Amino acid sequence: MSRVKVKAVLGLKPESQEITVKGWVRTFRNNQFIALNDGSTNNNLQVVVELGLLDETTLKRITTGAAISAKGTLIASLGKGQSVELVAKSIEILGDSDAEKYPLQPKKHSLEFLREIAHLRFRTNTFGAVFRIRHSLAYAVHKFFHEKGFVYLHTPIITASDAEGAGETFAVTNFDLNNIPKNDKGEIDFKQDFFGKHTNLTVSGQLEGELAAMAFGDIYTFGPTFRAENSNTTRHLAEFWMIEPEMAFYDLNDNMDLAEELLHYVINYALENNKEDIDFLTQRLLEEEKQKPQNERSEMNLLEKLQFCVNNKFERVTYTEAIAILKDSNHNKKKKFQYLVNEWGVDLQSEHERYLVEKHFNKPVILTDYPKNIKAFYMRQNDDGKTVRAMDILFPGIGEIVGGSQREERLEKLETRMKEMNIPVEELSWYLDTRRFGACEHAGFGLGFERLVLFVTGMTNIRDVIPFPRTPNNCEF
RNA sequence: UCCUUCUUAGCUCAGCUGGUUAGAGCACGUGACUGUUAAUCACGGGGUCCCUGGUUCGAGCCCAGGAGAAGGAGCCA
């Protein structure tokens, strides 16, 4: 007889059938009731140990965290908290867990504490739910693109281009750091390094993605990305996962449509496939909100927020319109913003984005057509000479979740812009070839995967939605 | 990197205006009970009050420096 997973067991009709389950003990109540979890679902299976079944020594080894195998018959539960339960005929301790030393207790722990024991936090209800949802979202991303005929492209992790313009990079080298070779001028001699040049971890797969889009039409990447920014916030990681689709023959509107469809699709997938986990996290958030004063509590709970997001179109406004809204807002007039909005051309601060999303529109917002001076070199220039075809999707509680644009496909305009922004044109000659040979209208965006997981799980710190977070001064596990 | 706050038992926290032997709940151990739902009841063990220095008759509490953490800002996804 083989092992049945708890999720399957909980869906069975109890007919006194004989079943074997294996998992980890969450609690052992009354020397009689084991709450057994095997990670297949957030719910536990109650295993009943009848009096006299086990000797005292074995009984004592059923502790929180221990791995056990239980064989018994499945019956309709005699208690109230669950529909079925397993009456054990035999129990084997597979792995002991010293109750005095095991850090997880059947009680509420702080997220900060659990972050310090990230190797064990998977075994809690909250992180179980979070990482099952993370899996579902990743799967849904692949499913969405596959069904649309996109090619999943693996862009390199190690790159030589320092010109992607997306922040500080981590250098990759196999130099002996105590004895770095120098050239005649006293500069580091990268010719002697492994790749014969200066290399770093990728900050974005976009430029390589564009190359493939010029052959397959529609591609996407989904991989890790590295930024050496000294950012200490609840929304930034030094190592994070990003989804970057790139589509030929797409303009900015097509790009926005795709991004919105993707977000609706994957959130809906989680709603349909992770109902129990989302219900648990919704409940968890409600408990947490009870601690807050009335006016700080959110109007919608997590489940309602996700449903609202799936069932409503995102608001689309241009940067220029957004500035006008902010300028005219009571918030601005009453000087409630730390940074007052008074002129066109400035970048929006977090507080402004939050105002638009959480106060003014009260739904996800897509901002388009930003001033060219605050955006990257590859974005397509508008005829007005001052804005570019950029789009950012802003989510409540998260801020920017997607950043994208229609790309500048006109070689001359692109080269001029690169020179203006001091981007080394020669180094990116391979990139410019897409504009030299068969250039066409195209667009793409980057979706921060952890920010998506944040939104769907209702967690508030990005370090709690990636298994082992890498942040400044922290690279544990 | 900047600003603010925090650091007391394994965990979550209390500790009054600087005053005697630093407390609670949970966890853990022992015992009781045995259809429990983070079981309950009784008893018990458990402390470098983050570190270093200073002020004081006396510091968990005040001052200075350092370390770590959290939240916010900037950068961005």
Side-chain angles (χ1 to χ4, degrees):
Chain A
M1 184 172 49
S2 63
R3 163 198 174 218
V4 187
K5 289 201 178 187
V6 167
K7 187 179 184 178
V9 174
L10 293 176
L12 291 175
K13 215 181 251 169
E15 295 166 325
S16 297
Q17 60 269 59
E18 221 171 72
I19 279 174
T20 300
V21 292
K22 297 181 182 184
W24 294 270
V25 176
R26 283 289 173 83
T27 63
F28 186 33
R29 284 183 295 270
N30 222 352
N31 260 357
Q32 198 175 178
F33 302 100
I34 302 171
L36 190 75
N37 189 284
D38 70 356
S40 59
T41 161
N42 216 22
N43 297 320
N44 302 325
L45 175 67
Q46 172 153 292
V47 177
V48 183
V49 184
E50 286 178 332
L51 278 173
L53 178 73
L54 300 175
D55 56 272
E56 196 71 10
T57 334
T58 314
L59 217 49
K60 283 253 182 283
R61 290 171 67 197
I62 303 175
T63 56
T64 303
I68 66 163
S69 171
K71 187 170 154 186
T73 51
L74 191 71
I75 61 161
S77 179
L78 306 178
K80 277 187 182 145
Q82 55 283 315
S83 57
V84 297
E85 64 190 21
L86 191 77
V87 180
K89 284 185 173 164
S90 68
I91 284 182
E92 190 190 344
I93 312 291
L94 303 174
D96 287 286
S97 172
D98 185 342
E100 217 162 336
K101 291 178 184 152
Y102 187 60
L104 291 174
Q105 303 157 12
K107 62 168 275 192
K108 205 182 147 130
H109 292 288
S110 68
L111 294 174
E112 290 83 5
F113 171 67
L114 292 172
R115 222 171 276 153
E116 289 169 18
I117 50 165
H119 57 306
L120 296 173
R121 67 179 178 170
F122 300 117
R123 301 189 189 191
T124 63
N125 287 330
T126 299
F127 287 95
V130 164
F131 290 112
R132 270 187 300 272
I133 289 172
R134 183 179 164 112
H135 160 76
S136 279
L137 289 169
Y139 177 70
V141 165
H142 286 300
K143 192 163 166 359
F144 174 83
F145 284 119
H146 176 75
E147 283 166 3
K148 282 191 170 299
F150 279 58
V151 168
Y152 176 29
L153 186 79
H154 295 109
T155 50
I157 305 292
I158 301 173
T159 68
S161 65
D162 206 9
E164 287 155 349
E168 294 293 311
T169 57
F170 288 100
V172 174
T173 180
N174 73 339
F175 276 154
D176 173 1
L177 294 183
N178 291 314
N179 186 19
I180 297 172
K182 302 273 174 71
N183 63 17
D184 305 342
K185 294 177 196 161
E187 299 162 334
I188 297 171
D189 188 8
F190 286 108
K191 282 192 181 132
Q192 294 185 47
D193 204 352
F194 187 87
F195 294 106
K197 55 164 83 169
H198 181 238
T199 51
N200 48 263
L201 294 177
T202 183
V203 292
S204 160
Q206 182 200 317
L207 301 191
E208 289 91 351
E210 282 187 53
L211 310 179
M214 292 300 109
F216 298 105
D218 300 324
I219 67 97
Y220 72 104
T221 73
F222 187 172
T225 307
F226 309 87
R227 302 208 180 155
E229 302 286 352
N230 191 8
S231 302
N232 293 289
T233 77
T234 53
R235 312 178 296 286
H236 290 87
L237 291 164
E239 176 183 293
F240 64 99
W241 288 66
M242 190 152 63
I243 295 135
E244 295 181 287
E246 198 68 37
M247 297 74 63
F249 317 114
Y250 266 53
D251 66 12
L252 189 68
N253 282 318
D254 301 325
N255 200 23
M256 286 190 281
D257 289 345
L258 184 77
E260 190 167 340
E261 196 187 337
L262 169 66
L263 287 166
H264 281 156
Y265 182 92
V266 298
I267 295 169
N268 197 51
Y269 186 89
L271 282 170
E272 285 177 0
N273 292 276
N274 294 77
K275 198 181 173 320
E276 286 161 7
D277 290 325
I278 290 173
D279 283 346
F280 174 82
L281 291 170
T282 301
Q283 227 28 62
R284 182 187 164 274
L285 275 183
L286 284 176
E287 291 294 319
E288 208 154 84
E289 294 234 317
K290 279 183 191 164
Q291 319 278 329
K292 291 188 189 167
Q294 199 89 43
N295 58 342
E296 280 176 33
R297 295 182 200 171
S298 40
E299 293 158 37
M300 280 185 268
N301 69 31
L302 175 64
L303 180 62
E304 290 163 345
K305 238 168 65 183
L306 297 177
Q307 284 164 341
F308 178 85
C309 185
V310 166
N311 296 326
N312 284 278
K313 286 245 139 215
F314 300 170
E315 195 70 35
R316 298 184 185 189
V317 287
T318 66
Y319 167 89
T320 306
E321 288 163 349
I323 288 287
I325 290 167
L326 289 167
K327 229 171 158 175
D328 278 351
S329 68
N330 282 332
H331 233 68
N332 200 47
K333 287 174 184 161
K334 287 181 184 163
K335 306 200 168 170
K336 278 191 191 165
F337 286 130
Q338 202 184 336
Y339 297 90
L340 293 180
V341 178
N342 36 41
E343 58 177 315
W344 190 95
V346 296
D347 207 352
L348 297 178
Q349 308 286 322
S350 303
E351 56 174 345
H352 303 140
E353 295 180 351
R354 269 209 309 277
Y355 178 86
L356 288 170
V357 173
E358 289 159 27
K359 293 253 159 55
H360 189 83
F361 291 112
N362 209 12
K363 56 151 82 167
V365 172
I366 312 184
L367 280 181
T368 65
D369 299 285
Y370 280 81
K372 67 176 181 183
N373 289 334
I374 57 173
K375 286 293 178 182
F377 72 92
Y378 48 72
M379 297 189 178
R380 195 178 199 278
Q381 296 164 50
N382 280 319
D383 294 339
D384 61 12
K386 43 180 201 175
T387 59
V388 288
R389 304 243 73 191
M391 64 118 173
D392 284 357
I393 303 185
L394 310 177
F395 261 41
I398 313 282
E400 188 178 340
I401 194 167
V402 165
S405 68
Q406 184 176 333
R407 317 307 189 191
E408 181 56 82
E409 81 282 11
R410 298 163 296 186
L411 182 61
E412 255 174 61
K413 292 234 176 210
L414 183 57
E415 279 184 334
T416 310
R417 191 71 190 131
M418 287 171 81
K419 281 169 195 158
E420 280 172 13
M421 296 177 75
N422 290 320
I423 311 281
V425 177
E426 306 75 35
E427 236 178 78
L428 287 179
S429 174
W430 50 270
Y431 177 67
L432 293 172
D433 267 2
T434 54
R435 276 63 171 176
R436 292 191 187 105
F437 310 115
C440 70
E441 185 174 66
H442 65 290
F445 60 86
L447 165 64
F449 186 57
E450 281 75 20
R451 290 190 180 174
L452 174 67
V453 183
L454 265 186
F455 181 73
V456 177
T457 59
M459 300 298 280
T460 50
N461 192 317
I462 202 161
R463 292 161 213 169
D464 296 330
V465 298
I466 189 166
F468 302 105
R470 272 75 180 96
T471 53
N473 265 314
N474 173 37
C475 194
E476 294 301 312
F477 309 105

